[in-house]
Amino acid sequence: MTDASTTPPAHVAIIGGGPAGLMAAEVLSLAGVRVDLYDAMPSVGRKFLLAGVGGMNITHSEPYPAFIARYAERRENIAALLQGFDADALRAWIHGLGINTFVGTSGRVFPTDMKAAPLLRAWLKRLRDAGVVIHTRHRWLGWNDDGALRIGYPQGEMAVKPDAVILALGGGSWARLGSDGAWLPLLAERGVDISPLQAANSGFEVAAWSDLLKQKFAGAPLKNIALSLPGQAPRLGEFVLTEGGVEGSLVYAWSAQVRETINRDGSATLLLDLLPNKPVDKIAAALSKPRGSRSMAKHLHGQLGLDGVKAALLRELTGPEVFADPQRLAAAIKALPIVVVRPRPLDEAISSAGGVRFEALDQGLMLKQVPGVFCAGEMLDWEAPTGGYLLTACFASGRVAGLGALDWLKNR
């Protein structure tokens, strides 16, 4: 009979060194499992670090019903992941790394120094102290005939046969940071149910802006405005005019619905309210005042404060007949239609939609088609707006995959 004290610990290989993979490594290593983590890039957490440029938005403080609604049709799947590790638990975990947090005016949660690097350094120290071995420049290439993992590295290729595997390979955006979607055919060959990857939290292109608008206003921000889709309540915020279309936080907030509308109809119409704090009748009254010898541009500026990129976009998207009618011009100012025809390329998007469908996984995030292999993070089929929701779900899914692997190892 084997002495339990001499039985070697179970061995788990984790592929991917983003938040989901690192969280799975923490769960497993603290339970005494031997963990090797492989990442194709020269260092781990590269997308995490870039997401922290300009301020590391780690999660959001809004009430749970509003928080979970951000995950739209996947809210029930994400709720199951957040049961044991929600936004409050994530903040407490960060505090445990010696990093304090604060809630910004928008409700977003940030580390007090606004940086991702100190958090990542503290976390990696904890993982290494727990025995996690991190292998950088090691890319997963699939499986050998005997079920071993194929791992390519600068000197060649090796085979690794762990007791369980956690895949945390990211989606398809920002390939230069490691999320290149190269895993899709490897899982598709195993019969895993995968939804195609699409751009999420992305900008959109119009058919064409005029040369004048592009030359004078590409890159200009539109602030203190509201944006909506037909039949939807408008959201306040800001976005940026680009050479080919629109991008920025307010556009990202609508991106899932815009993308699906384009998929269905070939285009989508965003309605821009240039003066969200003024009702249409007051705008019409202001425009109806005599302007004398003043140009319409000066009239718009003097009566309504509309100038610069806002006035240029109003001129771009309406005709002379609208400018000649104060009522029609007021209506246009409150609902200026911007027709977008395609999202920007997936690799430019902040995140991606699509991936391994939850229906292909059990409650512990193990692939039903490939026992002993678990999936976590952005490679799962869900999406969320920016604001800390993406990271929160990635952390939580890594934890669930780690716990799922522990349960599977115990019950094999």
Side-chain angles (χ1 to χ4, degrees):
M1 187 172 178
T2 304
D3 183 353
S5 65
T6 63
T7 302
H11 177 216
V12 174
I14 297 175
I15 314 296
L22 294 174
M23 183 56 79
E26 177 167 319
V27 169
L28 290 162
S29 61
L30 293 179
V33 173
R34 182 163 69 90
V35 176
D36 282 283
L37 186 147
Y38 301 91
D39 195 282
M41 304 306 289
S43 58
V44 297
R46 291 168 87 89
K47 189 174 181 182
F48 179 72
L49 289 173
L50 188 60
V53 172
M56 179 76 257
N57 176 203
I58 200 79
T59 188
H60 205 288
S61 65
E62 71 183 348
Y64 183 77
F67 187 99
I68 200 64
R70 304 293 186 178
Y71 300 96
E73 66 270 14
R74 286 301 190 184
R75 63 172 66 89
E76 290 185 12
N77 302 105
I78 301 299
L81 304 181
L82 296 180
Q83 277 183 352
F85 201 74
D86 60 9
D88 290 337
L90 176 55
R91 286 188 76 184
W93 175 83
I94 293 169
H95 298 161
L97 286 171
I99 306 292
N100 292 322
T101 61
F102 74 96
V103 180
T105 54
S106 64
R108 299 182 182 205
V109 177
F110 303 88
T112 49
D113 64 1
M114 301 290 285
K115 296 176 182 175
L119 192 162
L120 184 60
R121 280 197 300 269
W123 194 9
L124 291 177
K125 182 182 185 306
R126 176 190 283 180
L127 292 174
R128 290 187 171 110
D129 289 348
V132 175
V133 180
I134 296 174
H135 309 265
T136 55
R137 294 187 172 89
H138 281 62
R139 179 179 291 275
W140 178 55
L141 303 174
W143 289 274
N144 286 328
D145 291 341
D146 65 355
L149 300 173
R150 295 175 54 209
I151 305 289
Y153 63 108
Q155 290 75 37
E157 185 179 319
M158 62 182 180
V160 178
K161 200 162 189 179
D163 299 304
V165 178
I166 294 178
L167 303 177
L169 289 154
S173 65
W174 297 7
R176 63 191 174 89
L177 302 178
S179 297
D180 57 9
W183 52 268
L184 268 85
L186 301 177
L187 294 187
E189 288 171 3
R190 294 294 184 106
V192 176
D193 189 12
I194 299 169
S195 179
L197 295 181
Q198 300 183 83
N201 292 298
S202 69
F204 291 89
E205 297 177 6
V206 298
W209 291 135
S210 67
D211 289 340
L212 179 64
L213 191 71
K214 286 191 288 188
Q215 289 163 9
K216 290 193 70 175
F217 295 105
L222 286 99
K223 299 186 176 186
N224 303 315
I225 48 87
L227 205 60
S228 64
L229 288 171
Q232 302 281 324
R235 298 176 184 175
L236 296 168
E238 61 183 75
F239 68 89
V240 175
L241 200 71
T242 68
E243 274 210 2
V246 292
E247 67 178 26
S249 58
L250 197 50
V251 173
Y252 303 154
W254 288 106
S255 66
Q257 289 173 263
V258 171
R259 183 192 67 238
E260 293 308 312
T261 301
I262 292 172
N263 287 345
R264 185 186 69 236
D265 302 334
S267 67
T269 301
L270 287 160
L271 299 176
L272 170 60
D273 185 346
L274 293 167
L275 295 172
N277 297 319
K278 272 190 183 294
V280 68
D281 57 337
K282 289 194 174 180
I283 294 172
L287 291 172
S288 297
K289 290 179 180 177
R291 61 185 174 97
S293 61
R294 291 188 306 170
S295 67
M296 178 54 85
K298 289 186 176 178
H299 191 53
L300 282 169
H301 174 71
Q303 292 296 327
L304 298 169
L306 281 180
D307 55 15
V309 63
K310 290 184 178 181
L313 199 53
L314 181 62
R315 183 71 73 174
E316 176 89 3
L317 297 174
T318 56
E321 70 284 358
V322 174
F323 267 73
D325 183 338
Q327 297 292 336
R328 291 181 67 185
L329 186 56
I333 288 170
K334 294 298 290 180
L336 191 62
I338 302 175
V339 179
V340 292
V341 295
R342 70 186 71 86
R344 291 294 298 161
L346 172 59
D347 194 46
E348 293 181 16
I350 290 175
S351 58
S352 55
V356 177
R357 290 190 172 98
F358 281 89
E359 293 75 14
L361 303 158
D362 70 9
Q363 289 186 333
L365 299 183
M366 185 174 74
L367 289 169
K368 295 174 183 176
Q369 292 289 107
V370 195
V373 177
F374 299 75
C375 296
E378 202 182 328
M379 68 183 294
L380 303 180
D381 179 24
W382 61 279
E383 63 180 304
T386 57
Y389 310 102
L390 293 163
L391 277 175
T392 303
C394 283
F395 279 105
S397 68
R399 181 178 177 275
V400 169
L403 293 171
L406 280 177
D407 285 344
W408 188 76
L409 290 167
K410 289 174 187 172
N411 298 320
R412 275 189 308 164

